[in-house]
Amino acid sequence: MPDQFRRKTPDEILQSISYIKKGRLKIILGAVYGSGKTYHLLLEGNELKKRGIDVVVGVVCTSSSPKTLEQLGCLEIIPSIEWEQNGHVRQDLNMTEIYKRNPEVILVDQLAHKNHSSAKNPTRLEDVKELINNEISVITTINIYELKGVKKVAEQLLQLPLHVDDTVPEDTLTQADEVRLLDVTPEAILKRLQEGEIEEKDEQAKGLVQLYNKDNLAVLRELSLRFLAGEVEEDLTEYREEEGLLGPSGASERILVCVQYHWNGSILIRRGDQIAKRLGGELLIVSFVPTQRKLSKEEEMFKRSMQKLINKLNGKFEELIIKGEEIAEEIVEYAMQHYVTRIILGHSKRTRWEEIIHGSIVNRILRKTKNIDVFIVADRAEVHGERVIPAIQSKIRKKNPYQRLSPDEIKEKIQGVKRGTLKIYIGAAPGVGKTYTMLREANQLNQNEIDVVIGLLETHGRKETAAQIGTLEIIPRKHITYKNVVLEEMDLKAIIIRNPEVVLVDELAHTNVPGSNNQKRYQDVIAILDAGISVISTMNIQHVESLNDSVKQITGVCVRETVPDSFLHLADELELIDISPKALRQRMQEGYIYARDKVEQSLSNFFKTRNLIALRELTLRELADDVDDRLESLKRKEGVRGPWRKEEVIFVCVNLRPDSERLIRRGFRIAYRLKAKWFVVYVKDQPSLSNDEQNILDKIISLTNRLGGNFELYSTADRRLVVGEITKQLQDKKATQVIIGHSARSRWQEIKQGSIVARVLREARHLDVLVVAD
């Protein structure tokens, strides 16, 4: 690139110098008042002061709880300018005194604030920008609904007005050097409200009292997670483009619907919208129109109808004029340029002989791209109509309240009452502060006279983390001899005998030493919960079983130790510990995560900036999906994602290739989002299997069982009968969607031997078919 050798102009040099001299802006983002933003603002200020940074407090919310104000400690406070409005005391930053004091960092609560009419700047945001331009760094707080554009979205989702007068522009977060989401579960906020840590009368606007129910708090929490995920995705796209990386990152979904001005165009658009909403992805709709061809009156009518639908769905529509008849090539090129993860098309209407003579757009797309999923939509309109209803199974009959419970039902209910509570802290990577936060919570519980012990703790030599142990009791580890080496593991038996109210168990995904009670640590946790003991635990996003392929795509690392998604669904609370990639890398460089001799290697491998950005986005989206699923299970709202049709049955067709596990994980994630029954099917077309083939089959069966699917094995005498057997099972099980991998055969092999994928597409035109990227 020649620009890198060009000499900078004087203006460019001045601009670079001014940027170097600017202070930093960090924003702590919360879903709602009471999520702990002020507490963490002061906590961070004290930690910076311990490191020798000159920190002062500019404004702190006067209505904060005593527990929060305790965190002021010995921080210096620059008195704010107080004034009254409608009986409420308001505080403006004392800019004159701040400049006299000239600290390195100033803590400023409640960024969304309008100053007094006599103030130098009309808003606190303008004050903050001025301070940053004068080399003073600012750490500040804001709620998601105080972003102007997001406030309107929140009101639509909540279906109630938010009486919030003070807002900041929606792009405020993009101006920050660092944004940290303070994720708190609705249960935790409601508990704080009940215990008096949040006083409704102290809320800036009394109209926000109606927010404090489980549903509304869940909606705002999901909105916060998804909004920040969108911001992170923009950073990731920009970073990957700078590095010259093409194709999807693996952290998010981008859906491309390819339509023609035809009667089925609206069906494809609606289906694409459903998929995009259920996957939390962006929806792109494109019509590829051959050049020098005027649209017929009928096509013009369909075009107007489709545009009206797209506007209603808030989709992005483009009409692209293409030369010649190479529509498949144009679609693939557009998909690659726009980082598309899934192309949505209609089934081919051509017969097998017509496809041989004239070709098929679907088959050509499948040959042109192996790294993008292709979703072929069934035409069910003639049979079922185009009804869209929530995924909740409405046919489930409620048990008559007067009907006596069976012994098994009584046992299950008693077990549920006795079972301990499970809370899991989740992070995007090691070092984000999961164990530190878990220990801090344990000490707070201890102060409230809750019996808390440490069952298993991994500090990894981090002094900050070890200091948080305080007076907490530690259950000694069990010593196990394995291959003449003495190894340590969590002592499950000792924990159950000790019988505390709460036990801390670090690193859920750990594999126990052979000879332990259970193979995996999460299985130990289940035993502890069944004993009536509550558990607080930690794990990283890369250890979630169904995300294994996404993590490998992002980092290039195949994670061996995983936790089944079903275990996470057992958790009463999942809470994100968020930190920006820049801050995490800084912590790594300062030696707060790993020993000095491992720092450079880690920074240039797993802890690359692009990996951390992508993992952060993946974590935000996964937690948002979990919040939405829990909200949907209450049968009260649809959440931020969208509805789906009911009675979905998913068929995952696998063979004995190593990539079959990827198909199973994809099948699970789709089935879970659709609340669908799902099957993994293998058709054996040979008398016996080799040892390698049997090993792959055993892994496939094991993974299917771990993820809660139904594995079925069928046999045929001839390879040519495989598709026929699959078709028969699709009909018997009333399948609605087929998931299959890309063909591994070359073009000549397909011509000579045929393609199973192409045959399934012909036989299953009444079904949706997802061809998963290789």
Side-chain angles (χ1 to χ4, degrees):
M1 294 183 292
D3 280 357
Q4 66 181 320
F5 298 106
R6 182 177 59 80
R7 181 180 287 121
K8 284 186 171 68
T9 65
D11 286 344
E12 287 173 331
I13 291 171
L14 284 173
Q15 187 177 356
S16 298
I17 292 172
S18 67
Y19 183 78
I20 290 168
K21 294 176 72 176
K22 280 178 67 173
R24 286 176 54 82
L25 173 61
K26 177 173 180 175
I27 296 176
I28 299 175
L29 174 68
V32 70
Y33 177 83
S35 54
K37 300 179 300 300
T38 308
Y39 179 91
H40 283 82
L41 175 78
L42 297 173
L43 195 67
E44 187 150 343
N46 277 296
E47 288 175 356
L48 288 173
K49 188 174 181 180
K50 287 177 185 175
R51 296 182 192 179
I53 306 294
D54 184 16
V55 185
V56 300
V57 176
V59 166
V60 66
C61 181
T62 53
S63 61
S64 298
S65 68
K67 181 180 169 183
T68 296
L69 294 176
E70 280 177 15
Q71 293 300 314
L72 276 167
C74 55
L75 287 171
E76 180 184 346
I77 301 173
I78 296 180
S80 59
I81 300 171
E82 295 189 351
W83 54 285
E84 196 171 299
Q85 184 183 47
N86 299 326
H88 292 278
V89 175
R90 294 176 65 86
Q91 300 170 283
D92 291 355
L93 284 170
N94 193 332
M95 299 294 280
T96 303
E97 292 301 316
I98 291 169
Y99 285 132
K100 280 183 184 177
R101 176 63 178 74
N102 193 28
E104 289 180 276
V105 180
I106 185 165
L107 309 181
V108 179
D109 212 0
Q110 298 177 337
L111 182 61
H113 168 86
K114 288 178 184 174
N115 292 333
H116 191 272
S117 56
S118 63
K120 179 182 177 184
N121 296 311
T123 66
R124 185 165 292 166
L125 178 61
E126 294 300 317
D127 287 342
V128 165
K129 288 180 179 178
E130 184 184 310
L131 291 170
I132 290 168
N133 287 331
N134 283 280
E135 302 179 50
I136 297 174
S137 294
V138 177
I139 305 176
T140 186
T141 66
I142 194 169
N143 291 314
I144 190 68
Y145 51 76
E146 291 170 333
L147 296 167
K148 193 171 184 179
V150 182
K151 178 192 168 189
K152 294 178 181 177
V153 176
E155 288 176 329
Q156 290 172 355
L157 292 170
L158 296 166
Q159 296 181 349
L160 55 87
L162 295 175
H163 303 287
V164 178
D165 297 322
D166 296 353
T167 59
V168 297
E170 190 175 332
D171 65 351
T172 301
L173 296 188
T174 62
Q175 299 171 32
D177 297 278
E178 184 181 346
V179 177
R180 177 191 173 192
L181 175 64
L182 203 59
D183 181 45
V184 184
T185 63
E187 293 83 1
I189 290 177
L190 291 173
K191 186 179 178 184
R192 290 174 187 177
L193 186 67
Q194 186 181 11
E195 293 175 352
E197 290 183 31
I198 305 169
E199 295 187 33
E200 295 176 17
K201 64 182 178 65
D202 290 328
E203 174 56 276
Q204 300 160 336
K206 290 185 179 179
L208 292 181
V209 170
Q210 67 264 44
L211 287 181
Y212 290 90
N213 66 61
K214 197 169 183 178
D215 285 3
N216 290 342
L217 292 173
V219 169
L220 287 173
R221 184 189 181 198
E222 183 182 355
L223 183 62
S224 304
L225 289 159
R226 291 202 189 282
F227 184 82
L228 187 56
E231 298 285 311
V232 173
E233 183 183 10
E234 289 180 13
D235 292 342
L236 179 60
T237 301
E238 184 180 334
Y239 197 90
R240 285 170 62 84
E241 285 176 351
E242 287 175 2
E243 289 195 332
L245 296 170
L246 300 175
S249 66
S252 61
E253 296 276 355
R254 189 167 288 183
I255 314 300
L256 171 63
V257 181
C258 302
V259 295
Q260 293 176 300
Y261 300 132
H262 190 255
W263 67 270
N264 73 338
S266 62
I267 294 174
L268 296 179
I269 293 168
R270 285 184 185 278
R271 193 65 161 137
D273 178 62
Q274 293 164 2
I275 291 170
K277 283 179 177 174
R278 294 301 296 184
L279 299 180
E282 184 180 355
L283 178 65
L284 308 174
I285 302 154
V286 178
S287 180
F288 295 87
V289 181
T291 188
Q292 297 177 342
R293 188 174 77 78
K294 189 176 180 181
L295 297 180
S296 66
K297 287 185 179 180
E298 189 180 44
E299 287 174 324
E300 288 284 3
M301 181 188 72
F302 283 124
K303 179 179 177 179
R304 287 193 299 271
S305 174
M306 286 159 52
Q307 286 177 323
K308 188 176 178 181
L309 174 61
I310 292 164
N311 290 334
K312 183 180 176 182
L313 298 174
N314 295 319
K316 295 180 181 178
F317 176 69
E318 274 189 88
E319 181 181 87
L320 297 179
I321 308 299
I322 60 170
K323 297 177 182 178
E325 296 295 325
E326 296 300 317
I327 294 179
E329 287 74 8
E330 293 284 347
I331 290 172
V332 172
E333 185 178 345
Y334 182 92
M336 291 295 292
Q337 289 175 350
H338 291 80
Y339 309 115
V340 165
T341 59
R342 184 173 301 195
I343 299 171
I344 296 181
L345 306 156
H347 269 286
S348 172
K349 299 293 183 184
R350 290 174 174 172
T351 65
R352 183 184 180 189
W353 290 109
E354 285 175 329
E355 286 183 355
I356 291 172
I357 296 168
H358 302 291
S360 157
I361 290 176
V362 173
N363 288 336
R364 287 213 300 273
I365 288 173
L366 291 174
R367 285 198 298 271
K368 292 288 179 183
T369 178
K370 299 281 187 181
N371 62 346
I372 299 175
D373 290 353
V374 179
F375 189 90
I376 302 100
V377 178
D379 175 19
R380 296 192 185 91
E382 293 180 13
V383 180
H384 302 292
E386 187 56 22
R387 267 191 337 138
V388 178
I389 62 177
I392 300 161
Q393 299 289 341
S394 59
K395 283 193 173 183
I396 297 173
R397 292 183 180 178
K398 289 186 178 180
K399 191 177 181 72
N400 190 306
Y402 296 102
Q403 186 176 341
R404 185 177 286 129
L405 296 174
S406 69
D408 287 342
E409 288 173 328
I410 292 172
K411 185 178 178 181
E412 186 179 341
K413 283 185 176 290
I414 291 173
Q415 186 61 37
V417 171
K418 291 172 64 179
R419 182 179 173 273
T421 299
L422 173 60
K423 179 173 183 177
I424 303 174
Y425 285 110
I426 291 188
V432 298
K434 302 179 300 299
T435 305
Y436 180 94
T437 308
M438 177 177 71
L439 287 167
R440 195 174 66 217
E441 182 179 0
N443 278 293
Q444 290 170 357
L445 290 172
N446 201 19
Q447 288 172 14
N448 292 331
E449 299 183 348
I450 303 293
D451 184 16
V452 186
V453 302
I454 296 173
L456 194 288
L457 185 69
E458 298 287 2
T459 64
H460 298 288
R462 297 166 194 161
K463 294 179 182 177
E464 285 180 322
T465 303
Q468 288 295 313
I469 295 173
T471 58
L472 292 172
E473 179 186 343
I474 301 174
I475 303 289
R477 299 191 190 193
K478 183 178 182 180
H479 294 83
I480 300 175
T481 302
Y482 178 68
K483 294 185 177 179
N484 299 320
V485 177
V486 178
L487 300 171
E488 294 182 340
E489 287 291 0
M490 182 174 74
D491 195 333
L492 175 61
K493 186 177 179 182
I495 290 169
I496 293 175
I497 291 172
R498 170 62 176 77
N499 193 31
E501 290 178 272
V502 182
V503 64
L504 310 186
V505 180
D506 221 355
E507 298 188 356
L508 264 176
H510 172 78
T511 301
N512 292 333
V513 175
S516 302
N517 297 73
N518 296 299
Q519 184 183 358
K520 303 286 290 186
R521 186 168 288 162
Y522 75 82
Q523 294 169 325
D524 290 339
V525 168
I526 292 173
I528 294 170
L529 293 169
D530 288 342
I533 302 168
S534 294
V535 177
I536 303 176
S537 192
T538 66
M539 67 177 293
N540 291 318
I541 197 68
Q542 68 260 30
H543 297 295
V544 177
E545 176 73 66
S546 69
L547 293 177
N548 197 269
D549 305 304
S550 297
V551 172
K552 186 176 180 181
Q553 183 179 340
I554 290 167
T555 65
V557 176
C558 184
V559 178
R560 301 296 178 190
E561 293 189 318
T562 60
V563 174
D565 296 60
S566 57
F567 180 80
L568 270 68
H569 303 153
L570 283 176
D572 300 276
E573 290 184 54
L574 291 178
E575 192 168 310
L576 169 69
I577 303 300
D578 185 44
I579 186 172
S580 72
K582 187 182 288 186
L584 186 57
R585 283 176 61 86
Q586 181 67 31
R587 291 194 67 201
M588 174 71 79
Q589 288 168 342
E590 291 173 358
Y592 287 106
I593 299 176
Y594 292 148
R596 292 284 181 185
D597 58 340
K598 292 184 179 179
V599 169
E600 287 304 319
Q601 182 184 359
S602 298
L603 288 173
S604 57
N605 289 286
F606 189 86
F607 282 79
K608 285 179 183 175
T609 300
R610 70 164 182 264
N611 289 353
L612 296 178
I613 298 173
L615 287 170
R616 186 188 189 196
E617 183 183 350
L618 189 68
T619 311
L620 288 162
R621 294 191 185 281
E622 188 66 13
L623 263 289
D625 287 347
D626 180 79
V627 173
D628 193 30
D629 287 324
R630 290 170 191 262
L631 183 60
E632 189 179 61
S633 69
L634 297 174
K635 302 188 180 183
R636 293 185 181 178
K637 286 188 175 71
E638 290 179 5
V640 181
R641 292 189 283 147
W644 203 277
R645 299 161 308 174
K646 65 176 179 178
E647 298 177 357
E648 291 272 357
V649 178
I650 311 296
F651 242 59
V652 183
C653 301
V654 299
N655 53 26
L656 298 183
R657 293 206 321 239
D659 67 341
S660 289
E661 292 188 28
R662 181 168 44 83
L663 292 178
I664 295 168
R665 293 189 189 99
R666 184 64 62 88
F668 160 77
R669 292 188 68 76
I670 292 170
Y672 181 71
R673 281 173 168 78
L674 271 58
K675 309 295 182 287
K677 191 172 184 180
W678 63 292
F679 297 87
V680 175
V681 176
Y682 168 60
V683 181
K684 182 181 171 187
D685 58 0
Q686 51 192 315
S688 60
L689 300 177
S690 67
N691 288 337
D692 288 345
E693 289 173 331
Q694 186 61 51
N695 287 336
I696 293 173
L697 181 60
D698 291 342
K699 286 182 180 178
I700 287 171
I701 295 171
S702 175
L703 179 59
T704 304
N705 292 335
R706 283 205 308 275
L707 293 175
N710 303 279
F711 181 82
E712 304 214 349
L713 174 66
Y714 303 104
S715 298
T716 63
D718 192 321
R719 181 167 294 185
R720 290 171 294 183
L721 301 176
V722 168
V723 174
E725 184 62 35
I726 290 173
T727 305
K728 177 178 177 296
Q729 295 305 325
L730 290 173
Q731 293 171 347
D732 290 348
K733 298 291 191 304
K734 295 182 173 59
T736 58
Q737 185 175 152
V738 184
I739 298 175
I740 194 167
H742 265 281
S743 175
R745 292 174 178 173
S746 67
R747 176 67 178 138
W748 288 111
Q749 285 175 322
E750 287 183 356
I751 292 171
K752 186 179 178 182
Q753 302 173 11
S755 163
I756 288 179
V757 175
R759 287 185 62 196
V760 168
L761 287 174
R762 279 197 301 272
E763 297 293 335
R765 287 180 178 174
H766 60 297
L767 305 175
D768 293 334
V769 180
L770 174 63
V771 185
V772 176
D774 184 4

